[in-house]
Amino acid sequence: MDIRGLGYVTVASTDLKRWRDYATGVLGMMVGAESEERLYLKMDARPYRILVEKADRDGYGACGWEVAGKADFERAIAELGEADVAVTRAGAAEAAQRQVQELARFADPDGNRHELFWGPRQDFAPFVSPAGVSGFVTSDLGMGHAVLPAPSFDRCLDFYEQVMGFGLSDLMKVRFTADPAEPEKRIHFLHCNNGRHHSLALFECPVPSGCVHLMVEVRELDDVGRALDRMHASGVKLSATLGRHTNDEMTSFYMQTPGGFDLEFGCGGKVMDWSRHTPFESTVVSHWGHDFSVGRR
């Protein structure tokens, strides 16, 4: 399966206004369009990258994976079928809501929801941040990355590598406390057919919101610092302090979203040449910073 990138994500929300205020006032994203049922959040020249949909719960919705065209779309659906994965082709009305040519839905072995699409609509309207963000790093790298819960870790990893065609970038094992009796949890970082270090990661633990965190990348370090200031001013809870990761070299901080999952806001992520990369296991999360204990206080 030739997945080109994370094209968009969807979010379920009981309060669209709360997401609107958070996205525009803290993240610095634009509102592309909105109604009583949907809020389209814009990060670049595409009409949206995050779609918030009215629901009776707050949480993560789905990852929207982009393929190059109709032939790749049909081939991907056939490959899912050969792997006994249930796939639902969306109708024209649903594809229009996503602003794509065609859309299909499926889930991984742990029930994480995914959408597959080709041919996004382009309005080419410029991105102008209401908070002064210089720009988000998207284009050929996709919109960012998502870290999903995978309690059935081996089954999920096999699904993503053998069925969806992701490659291993690197891996690590983590404990949440200093207690050596606590079992380590695996995290595997996976890439698709672009240069972003990882567009997806799997975490060996259940997460009620349906997502561990979503990452968006901005162009400048000042964009990160100013977002951190806006977060504090808006009363949004910090989940991890500013730091620099060892694997993708992203300088970032983490904060809570109205969806109950975290959002990593960073800059300076590596762009990979996969022909020259060897996967490795990190024994530390970051070169410095990224104190996640603040989010548990």
Side-chain angles (χ1 to χ4, degrees):
M1 198 179 295
D2 183 13
I3 293 174
R4 297 300 175 90
L6 182 61
Y8 61 79
V9 300
T10 71
V11 176
S13 176
T14 58
D15 186 348
L16 296 188
K17 183 181 183 302
R18 189 177 174 208
W19 259 101
R20 189 188 203 282
D21 293 344
Y22 171 73
T24 58
V26 179
L27 304 183
M29 296 178 183
M30 287 179 67
V31 173
E34 60 185 323
S35 68
E36 292 184 356
E37 299 298 321
R38 293 174 191 86
L39 173 65
Y40 295 85
L41 296 172
K42 185 176 173 71
M43 296 170 57
D44 55 16
R46 291 197 181 185
Y48 76 99
R49 290 289 191 169
I50 299 177
L51 171 57
V52 187
E53 298 183 294
K54 186 74 173 177
D56 59 2
R57 67 178 182 92
D58 291 302
Y60 197 68
C63 296
W65 299 106
E66 184 170 359
V67 295
K70 182 172 178 58
D72 295 278
F73 179 78
E74 296 296 339
R75 187 159 41 248
I77 290 176
E79 290 168 352
L80 288 165
E82 290 168 3
D84 295 324
V85 178
V87 182
T88 301
R89 287 180 182 263
E94 290 178 292
Q97 287 175 1
R98 296 294 192 266
Q99 302 191 36
V100 299
Q101 305 308 303
E102 291 184 278
L103 177 75
R105 293 188 172 93
F106 59 96
D108 75 7
D110 271 330
N112 294 303
R113 294 176 294 276
H114 297 283
E115 298 180 359
L116 194 72
F117 72 94
W118 74 274
R121 292 180 183 170
Q122 298 277 86
D123 61 9
F124 299 102
F127 171 77
V128 181
S129 170
V133 173
S134 65
F136 289 91
V137 178
T138 56
S139 188
D140 294 342
L141 299 178
M143 66 157 290
H145 73 238
V147 181
L148 301 181
S152 305
F153 193 86
D154 293 318
R155 290 178 61 210
C156 282
L157 183 62
D158 184 73
F159 171 79
Y160 287 107
E161 291 184 333
Q162 302 303 319
V163 179
M164 291 189 69
F166 283 90
L168 178 66
S169 305
D170 64 77
L171 60 147
M172 67 175 63
K173 299 172 185 174
V174 297
R175 284 191 178 96
F176 291 112
T177 70
D179 183 0
E182 181 191 357
E184 290 182 317
K185 305 290 193 303
R186 290 175 288 179
I187 307 176
H188 282 211
F189 300 85
L190 306 173
H191 67 268
C192 56
N193 191 6
N194 65 42
R196 192 177 289 282
H197 176 271
H198 57 283
S199 296
L200 176 70
L202 303 179
F203 179 45
E204 191 179 18
C205 190
V207 177
S209 68
C211 179
V212 181
H213 76 256
L214 180 69
M215 188 284 297
V216 296
E217 182 179 2
V218 286
R219 293 177 183 167
E220 306 291 343
L221 181 60
D222 283 346
D223 291 326
V224 177
R226 288 168 183 148
L228 187 58
D229 285 348
R230 293 193 300 270
M231 180 209 72
H232 287 303
S234 300
V236 172
K237 184 173 175 58
L238 182 70
S239 301
T241 59
L242 187 70
R244 182 165 176 255
H245 282 305
T246 53
N247 59 1
D248 64 359
E249 300 183 359
M250 190 79 69
T251 300
S252 62
F253 70 94
Y254 292 70
M255 58 181 146
Q256 290 186 356
T257 71
F261 54 89
D262 286 343
L263 185 137
E264 179 185 4
F265 197 99
C267 72
K270 290 170 68 175
V271 178
M272 307 294 293
D273 176 356
W274 296 113
S275 69
R276 302 179 62 84
H277 177 70
T278 301
F280 58 90
E281 179 180 349
S282 300
T283 58
V284 291
V285 173
S286 303
H287 293 292
W288 53 269
H290 285 148
D291 177 6
F292 285 89
S293 69
V294 300
R296 299 192 290 272
R297 294 173 189 166

